[in-house]
C-alpha cells in the first residue's frame, strides 16, 4: 500500500470521530411524554408482549433489521491471527457496508477467545438480540465447527461470510469470466491456492454448480492436497486429488482458472505464463493479492484478472453478497440461509453483470463506458440494482424452499428503495 493511502486510511478512521459507525434514534425523545413511552413506564408494555410471544420482538424492537458481525480475529483478511481487538476495524467496516448498501443496522462484536466451544457458547447466548449473525474472519478449520453448531442452536440466520459470501461472489464471477474466455465450468481445470474457510466453501459451491471435483487442485502451505497425504483435516480431505502434482508450479501448469484465497504475491509470473490459453486469475487475498494486476497483465495479455480490492477492475469481494443476502433473509424472517438462497444470489449477480451499466456507476468510477467483458465480469458494489435484484431473489428462494416465517413486505420494491436510502 502506498504511504499516501496508509496515512489517508488512518486519518479516515480517526477523524472527525474515531471509528466508522454510530447509533441513531428512530423515535422522538424530546418531551416528558416521549420519555414515558420510550422508557418507564411505557416500555413495560412491549416487554410484557414479547415475554408472551417472542416473535413480537420483530414488531416492537429493532431485532428484525439488526445484524451482528462477530469475529475472534483469527483470520483477519489475509493478515492472519491479529486477535479480537485488532479485527475491530474490519468488523466495523462490515457494519458500515451493511448499512450503506442494504439499510441494515449492524454492530460489531469481537469475542476474545481462540477456543471454538467458548466462542459458540458466547454467541449462542446473545443470538436472540439480533435478526441475523454474520460470522467474519474466523480461521479454518474451527470456522466450520463454529458455524455448524450455531446454525443448529440459533433460530436466526447464521452465515459465515468468508465461506458463503465469498463463494457466491466467486462463483458468479467465475461463471461469467469463463464464458467470456469461451470456456465452461464443467470442463475447467481449477487451481485453488488456499484450503481455508473461503477456499473450501468456494470449491464446494463450484462443484454444486457443475465444476468437476477431479479437475480441482487445492493447495495449502504444504502444497497440493493429494490422495493419501498425511495430516490433512477432513475439510481439506474433501478436495484431495488423486494426482502426482505436488507444488503450485505443478498444479497451475495448464490450468484454466487460478483462485487465490491464501496470501500475498504467491503466484509468480512464470507460473501464470504456464497456465492454459485464455486463463482466469482471481487473486482474491486482501489487502494484497496473490499477484498484482499490473504484473499479471505485463506477463500475458489473454487473461482475465480479478482481485478483492476496490481499486482495480473486477472486484471479486463478498461485499457484493452479504448486505443483499441478509436483506432478503431478514425481510421474510428466514430461519437460515440455505443452498437455494445462495444459488439464487449467484444467478442474480451473474445475470446483472450482463446488463447495461447505469450512468451513476460509471460516474462513481470515472468511466465513460463499461460492458460485460474481460474488465467487467461482475457488477460494481455501487450499483443500486444489486439490492432489489439480490434481496428479492434470496427472499423468494427462502419462501420457495420453506425457510421463510413471514411474507415479503408489501410493495417490496418501494420498501427496498427506502432501505437503499
Ligand atoms: N475477496 C474476498 O471476498 C475474500 C478474500 N478472502 C481472502 O482469502 C484469504 C484466506 O482467508 P480465509 O479462508 O478466511 O482464511 P483461513 O485462515 O481460513 O485460510 C487461509 C488458507 O490460506 C492458506 N495459506 C496461507 N498462506 C499460504 C501460503 N503461503 N501458501 C499456500 N497457502 C497458504 C492456508 O494454508 P494452511 O491450511 O496450510 O494454513 C489456509 O488454507 C485471505 O487472504 C482473505 O483476505 C477471504 C474471504 C473473502
Ligand atoms: C473480504 C473479506 O471478507 C476478507 O478478505 O476476509
Ligand atoms: Mg472476511
Amino acid at each position: 500500500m502506498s504511504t499516501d493511502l496508509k496515512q489517508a486510511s488512518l486519518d479516515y478512521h480517526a477523524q472527525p470521530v474515531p471509528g466508522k459507525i454510530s447509533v441513531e434514534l428512530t423515535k422522538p425523545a424530546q418531551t416528558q411524554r416521549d420519555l414515558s413511552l420510550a422508557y418507564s413506564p411505557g416500555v413495560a408494555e412491549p416487554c410484557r408482549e414479547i415475554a408472551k410471544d417472542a416473535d413480537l420482538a420483530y414488531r416492537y424492537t429493532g431485532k428484525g433489521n439488526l445484524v451482528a458481525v462477530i469475529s475472534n480475529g483469527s483470520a483477519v483478511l489475509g493478515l492472519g491471527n491479529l486477535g479480537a481487538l485488532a479485527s475491530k476495524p474490519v468488523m466495523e467496516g462490515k457494519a458500515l457496508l451493511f448499512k450503506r448498501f442494504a439499510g441494515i443496522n449492524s454492530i460489531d462484536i469481537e469475542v476474545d477467545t481462540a477456543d471454538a466451544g467458548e466462542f459458540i457458547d458466547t454467541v449462542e447466548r446473545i443470538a436472540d438480540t439480533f435478526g441475523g449473525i454474520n460470522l467474519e474472519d474466523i480461521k479454518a478449520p474451527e470456522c466450520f465447527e463454529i458455524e455448524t453448531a450455531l446454525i443448529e442452536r440459533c433460530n436466526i440466520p447464521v452465515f459465515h461470510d468468508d465461506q458463503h459470501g465469498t463463494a457466491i461472489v466467486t462463483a458468479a464471477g467465475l461463471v461469467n469470466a469463463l464464458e467470456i474466455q469461451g470456456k465452461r465450468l464443467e470442463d475447467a481445470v481449477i487451481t485453488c491456492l488456499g484450503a481455508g474457510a473461503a477456499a473450501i466453501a468456494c470449491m464446494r459451491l463450484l462443484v454444486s454448480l457443475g465444476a468437476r471435483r477431479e479437475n480441482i487442485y487445492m493447495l495449502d502451505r504444504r502444497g497440493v492436497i493429494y490422495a493419501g497425504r498425511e495430516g490433512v483435516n477432513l475439510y481439506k480431505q474433501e478436495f484431495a486429488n488423486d494426482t502426482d502434482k505436488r507444488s503450485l508450479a505443478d498444479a497451475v501448469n495448464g490450468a484454466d482458472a487460478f483462485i487465490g484465497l491464501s496470501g500475498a504475491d504467491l503466484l509468480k509470473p512464470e507460473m501464470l505464463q504456464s497456465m492454459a490459453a485464455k486463463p482466469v486469475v482471481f487473486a482474491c487475498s486482501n489487502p494484497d493479492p496473490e499477484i498484482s494486476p499490473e504484473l499479471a497483465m505485463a506477463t500475458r495479455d489473454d487473461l482475465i484478472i480479478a482481485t478483492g480490492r476496490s481499486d482495480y477492475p473486477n472486484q471479486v469481494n463478498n461485499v457484493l453478497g452479504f448486505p443483499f443476502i441478509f436483506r432478503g433473509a431478514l425481510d421474510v424472517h428466514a430461519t437460515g440461509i440455505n443452498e437455494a438462497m445462495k444459488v439464487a444470489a449467484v444467478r442474480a449477480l451473474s445475470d446483472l453483470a450482463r446488463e447495461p451499466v447505469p450512468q451513476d456507476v460509471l460516474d462513481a468510477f470515472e468511466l465513460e463506458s463499461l460492458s460485460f467483458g474481460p474488465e467487467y465480469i461482475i457488477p460494481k458494489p455501487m450499483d443500486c440494482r444489486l439490492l432489489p435484484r439480490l434481496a428479492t431473489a434470496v427472499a423468494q428462494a427462502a419462501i420457495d424452499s420453506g425457510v421463510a416465517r413471514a411474507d415479503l413486505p408489501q410493495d417490496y420494491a418501494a420498501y427496498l428503495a427506502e432501505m437503499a436510502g
Side-chain angles (χ1 to χ4, degrees), residues 37 68 72 77 118 157 185 216 222 284 308 336 402:
L37 297 175
N72 63 358
L77 309 176
E118 282 182 9
L185 184 59
I216 294 175
R222 292 168 52 211
C284 289

Side-chain angles (χ1 to χ4, degrees), residues 75-77 90-91 94 135-138 160-163 166 286 318:
V76 182
L77 309 176
V90 174
M91 304 313 133
K94 295 273 169 172
L135 299 172
E136 191 68 40
D137 290 0
I138 302 168
H160 183 200
D161 178 41
D162 298 286
Q163 290 186 56
T166 312
N286 288 308
N318 50 33

Side-chain angles (χ1 to χ4, degrees), residues 22-40:
S22 99
V23 172
E24 66 195 27
L25 304 188
T26 59
K27 298 290 153 63
Q30 302 304 325
T31 65
Q32 180 259 321
R33 177 157 173 86
D34 292 339
L35 291 192
S36 338
L37 297 175
Y39 196 42
S40 184

Side-chain angles (χ1 to χ4, degrees), residues 252-293:
V252 89
N253 190 347
D256 298 295
F258 167 88
I259 310 290
L261 293 156
S262 50
D265 300 321
L266 296 168
L267 183 68
K268 304 298 175 199
E270 58 278 14
M271 297 177 185
L272 175 57
Q273 200 60 265
S274 77
M275 290 182 72
K278 292 182 166 283
V280 175
V281 173
F282 283 8
C284 289
S285 178
N286 288 308
D288 301 311
E290 283 76 3
I291 187 167
S292 76

Side-chain angles (χ1 to χ4, degrees), residues 205-219:
L205 186 59
L206 289 178
V207 167
S208 85
L209 292 172
R212 296 221 304 273
R213 198 177 292 267
E214 63 271 25
N215 283 351
I216 294 175
Y217 299 96
M218 182 178 275
L219 297 94

Side-chain angles (χ1 to χ4, degrees), residues 381-401:
M382 266 57 175
D383 193 325
C384 59
R385 299 169 302 175
L386 284 165
L387 181 58
R389 298 292 176 85
L390 267 75
T392 308
V394 168
Q396 193 57 53
I399 293 169
D400 296 344
S401 61

